[in-house]
Amino acid sequence: MIPDAIDSRLANALFDVRAAGVGRVVEPALAPLRAMYRGLWVGGRVTLTPTEYHFHANGMNRSVHEGPVDFVIPLVDVDEVTTRFGVGTSLVVVHAGGHEFTIRCYGSRKFAERIRVAVAAARGEAPAPQV
């Protein structure tokens, strides 16, 4: 756990990665999922600190995916935080630097609001009221 964490949760993050070494039998089965989600869901931990938003894949997911499966975003670089419908849990989408960083976790709407408040605080702004 990161020492100055505001919130930290088990989560899945969407990455445009390929499954490593799954072979010719499993790869065709993953192709429709990758096309539907525009990537694969990677399990790990999402953490919010007063200055950054992190996702770090767990060891098992790190071993079965090729490509980057972590991100660290300075909160001052966050343009927008939204939520979207997801099966089982809502999705939290952080827009930063022209990219979307999508995660799913339990309590996602509350987590998204915590990110918004932390972004405003990191910029020295009052948080915008939510409608």
Side-chain angles (χ1 to χ4, degrees), residues 9-99:
R9 299 163 185 243
L10 292 177
N12 291 311
L14 188 60
F15 286 95
D16 188 14
V17 293
R18 298 185 65 77
V22 294
R24 293 183 300 184
V25 174
V26 177
E27 184 59 36
L30 290 177
L33 289 174
R34 186 180 300 104
M36 182 171 67
Y37 290 117
R38 288 178 262 136
L40 292 175
W41 290 102
V42 175
R45 178 164 291 278
V46 64
T47 304
L48 177 64
T49 73
T51 58
E52 295 175 323
Y53 175 63
H54 301 246
F55 177 84
H56 298 288
N58 61 34
M60 192 272 307
N61 275 281
R62 195 173 296 290
S63 69
V64 299
H65 291 95
E66 294 176 350
V69 288
D70 297 297
F71 60 73
V72 178
I73 305 167
L75 293 181
V76 295
D77 293 344
V78 172
D79 300 316
E80 183 181 24
V81 179
T82 60
T83 57
R84 287 197 306 236
F85 173 80
V87 178
T89 63
S90 293
L91 307 178
V92 177
V93 183
V94 173
H95 305 263
H99 300 281

Side-chain angles (χ1 to χ4, degrees), residues 99-121:
H99 300 281
E100 287 187 355
F101 299 88
T102 304
I103 63 132
R104 65 175 357 126
C105 65
Y106 291 110
S108 55
R109 292 186 190 282
K110 182 178 178 180
F111 189 64
E113 184 57 27
R114 284 191 170 164
I115 297 169
R116 287 183 198 103
V117 169
V119 167

